[in-house]
Amino acid sequence: MRGAKSAKWVTGAIIVALAATACGGGKSDGGSDAKGAVDPNGIFSIELGEPEKPLLTGDTMESNGSAVMAGLFSTLVDYKADGSLEMINAESVTTTDSKTWTVKLKPGWTFHDGTPVTSKSYVDAWNWNANVKNAQGLSSWFADIKGFEKVHPEGEGAKPTSDKLDGLTVVDENSFKIELSKAVPYFGHKLAYIVFAPLPESFYKDPVAGGQKPVGNGPYKFKSWDHKKKIEITRFDGYKGPNKAKNGGVVFKNYTTLEAAYEDLKSGNVDVLRQIAPKDLPVYRQDLGDRAVDQPYSAVQTIAVAFYADQWKKPKPIDPRVIQGLSMAIDRATITKTVLQGTREPATGWVAKGVLGFQEDGGAGVTKFDPAKAKELIKAGGGVPGNKISIQFNADGGHKEWVDAVCNSIQQSTSVQCVGDGKPDFQADLTARKTKQVKSLYRSGWVLDYPVNANFISDLFRTGVAGNQGDFSNKELDAKIAKADSAATLDDSVKQFQAIEKDLLNYMPSIPLWYYKVNAGYSEKVSGVAYGQDGDPILTGVEVKK
């Protein structure tokens, strides 16, 4: 269905620039409710698709798995609406040069198995996630740390020469140092991502079991996973973080269609939705009243290019002007107003709203609807090979309607034939991407992992990074990104990435479509429902009525 927090792919079509402390949608009553007392041990349910993979901190990069992991694990830091950091498991994260960082932990934290959370818990987890032998999809997130090339050498079949990152040093039980290979001014923000969570000693005895029954350090502990049916987590009473759960636990109920989830919400069989299907958008506000949610969050929908596909590389690599033309053939304003019922805002660039460095015209005009210019650009670039494209999407996420509309717009504007290529669910869609089976283009969506514009550029378009699933690669752009990544200050880095974003039209790694919103709702059984900057419900703040 929908899909990601952090480095995550968004699964749904219908998903604020607000932090995890932000207010929810509609007229949320904030917790206490005159209609009934609150049960502090009450359990509530949320609609969810089946996670793509086992629940591993180093391999969860889509929103179904991320929604669960957000309850099970806490990271060193989180971020606020203004982009500043909030300490969670860390007491402090400091640096004087953006290259060497010192982390001090809040003492007394434990994992759900009762063992202590220490500096070694973090260092060992990062070393394991980074090691090429463990084949974790998010291993590239450790590339900033000194010695990464030893634990994760490049090249097929390459073996690590070390099982430890040189840049990680345990100082004592509650403090450790991180030395980067070069200065990265926003590295502290990256630590909010799930891949940087700690792992208990028990994990390494059986990592396979650890992915099926994860032991974390978060506000909830794992209870059960009945695959393709439900996942249950319960409140961890030993949690020492600032975001203690106001409920007894969560049941993530698996749905194969958004329409079925909405019918269950209306009948009281599920309590919280993360999105509404396109079919129900015209009526959900009337149906739910004050329990209807409509608010923006920091994510952007795009159409990505499978650059490895024969269509785009034979007989020669595709000219960016062809992709520019396809972008300018899409009538975003009409599609968001009609098909998506005003629940999306046409994108003007690649960086989502609500993050440091967002700019109103980051796309430098390439998202403007201009059929004449579109045809001119496609012709100048040598045309679309075969004069036909397809857009792959997951059929369980409410995408078919807008994909059809985008195809119609492209076809009417340019005469390029366009068809949708639906996969049955988000798992099948992601599998096709990761095994390089996409035939032409694919629906993509990216929600912030940390609130800095680098997350929407460096973590998506650098050669070889985890988020770059279309095999886009350009050495010139890599060099510009590397320079911005190691700028002297965070402000300098943000400004350099702003310039890079405006230059992306000359490379066209993807086609920006629109900025996401949370269009969702909740039942009469719960109160205090709020959605974070990543678009997911904030589990810990939900209160269940008796």
Side-chain angles (χ1 to χ4, degrees), residues 146 175 183 442:
K146 184 179 178 182
S175 61
Y442 61 93

Side-chain angles (χ1 to χ4, degrees), residues 71-84:
L72 296 176
F73 288 88
S74 284
T75 47
L76 293 166
V77 301
D78 204 342
Y79 45 79
K80 301 177 183 178
D82 62 2
S84 63

